[in-house]
Amino acid sequence: SSIVYFGKQIPGQCMECHGTYAKTGQVEGRGTVFDSASIMYGIDCERCHGPGAEHVAWHKAHPGELTGKYIVNAVHLSRQQRLDACALCHSGRRQEFRPSFSFRVGDVLDSFSTGTYDTASTANLDVHGNQYGLLTESKCFRFSDKLDCQSCHDPHTNEYGEVAVYSARCMNCHNGVAQHSCSMPEISKQLAKAGIMSGTAASRKAASAVNCI
């Protein structure tokens, strides 16, 4: 539909995933509300790396220092902490019991909100999806102690529609050596024909017409 509903209520929980920060408060009967004058629109660095004022100030004062200070670096987080950072907005609708924007990357997400339906279920997916649930129920995830969202997704690059890139990433593991090769016969034939069964970087261009995801 092309109709825009200007009178639709936008609670704080919506802004938590469609913005970087907003000053919030609790109102009886309405849940979390936000101060529209305090919104940091869009998703920027601070949404995943935490508040950056101290980080910027320190590095301005120490321009020669190359090691990041006073900022969250995902490399130093556990797998579950990294997953929670994504699951905040990619595990479907969640029932919050602490105000929106309370959660910071590195926290335990279930201490702030919980999923409102079975995250493993694909029967009632809506626009908000439950990518976290689908990932954690996959064999790839259950048989790995390292796989997380960033194994397949680069959060710093817009790769929407880049089938070749994702197909090549599948083949990094499903190459018949590290893991079983692709189990879908027709797609396996296409992969072999395109020359990407080895998962090499040179094969990504050839994979442009192949979709194994």
Side-chain angles (χ1 to χ4, degrees):
S1 174
S2 60
I3 299 176
V4 178
Y5 296 97
F6 290 103
K8 183 177 181 179
Q9 181 181 3
I10 302 176
Q13 194 170 12
C14 292
M15 293 306 303
E16 188 171 31
C17 290
H18 292 277
T20 294
Y21 175 78
K23 183 178 180 180
T24 60
Q26 296 292 110
V27 175
E28 184 72 27
R30 294 178 59 190
T32 301
V33 297
F34 61 90
D35 176 7
S36 60
S38 68
I39 299 173
M40 293 175 62
Y41 291 99
I43 304 301
D44 69 9
C45 307
E46 290 185 281
R47 194 69 196 87
C48 299
H49 294 281
E54 190 174 5
H55 168 73
V56 172
W58 196 91
H59 281 281
K60 279 186 175 181
H62 304 81
E65 179 59 62
L66 301 180
T67 301
K69 300 286 187 179
Y70 308 112
I71 201 75
V72 175
N73 186 335
V75 172
H76 304 303
L77 300 178
S78 68
R79 178 168 76 157
Q80 190 57 53
Q81 286 176 316
R82 295 193 300 272
L83 289 167
D84 280 359
C86 298
L88 173 68
C89 298
H90 294 280
S91 61
R93 296 183 182 277
R94 302 184 65 86
Q95 179 63 50
E96 61 178 17
F97 35 84
R98 296 180 65 176
S100 300
F101 293 104
S102 296
F103 173 83
R104 298 286 179 84
V105 173
D107 290 336
V108 177
L109 182 58
D110 285 344
S111 296
F112 296 80
S113 62
T114 185
T116 57
Y117 57 81
D118 182 3
T119 55
S121 173
T122 60
N124 297 306
L125 288 177
D126 64 4
V127 67
H128 300 93
N130 68 349
Q131 295 89 345
Y132 171 77
L134 296 173
L135 171 66
T136 55
E137 285 299 306
S138 70
K139 285 186 178 180
C140 293
F141 182 87
R142 288 187 285 115
F143 288 100
S144 170
D145 60 357
K146 297 180 180 179
L147 185 70
D148 62 17
C149 306
Q150 294 182 66
S151 299
C152 300
H153 298 277
D154 182 349
H156 298 114
T157 304
N158 182 0
E159 297 175 331
Y160 179 79
E162 296 287 343
V163 174
V165 172
Y166 286 108
S167 294
R169 285 178 186 158
C170 293
M171 301 313 300
N172 283 336
C173 292
H174 296 278
N175 52 25
V177 179
Q179 294 291 338
H180 295 298
S181 57
C182 184
S183 60
M184 295 174 281
E186 290 304 313
I187 289 180
S188 292
K189 291 178 183 178
Q190 295 179 57
L191 293 169
K193 184 177 180 180
I196 70 169
M197 290 302 286
S198 63
T200 60
S203 68
R204 292 188 180 185
K205 184 175 181 180
S208 59
V210 180
N211 185 357
C212 65
I213 57 178

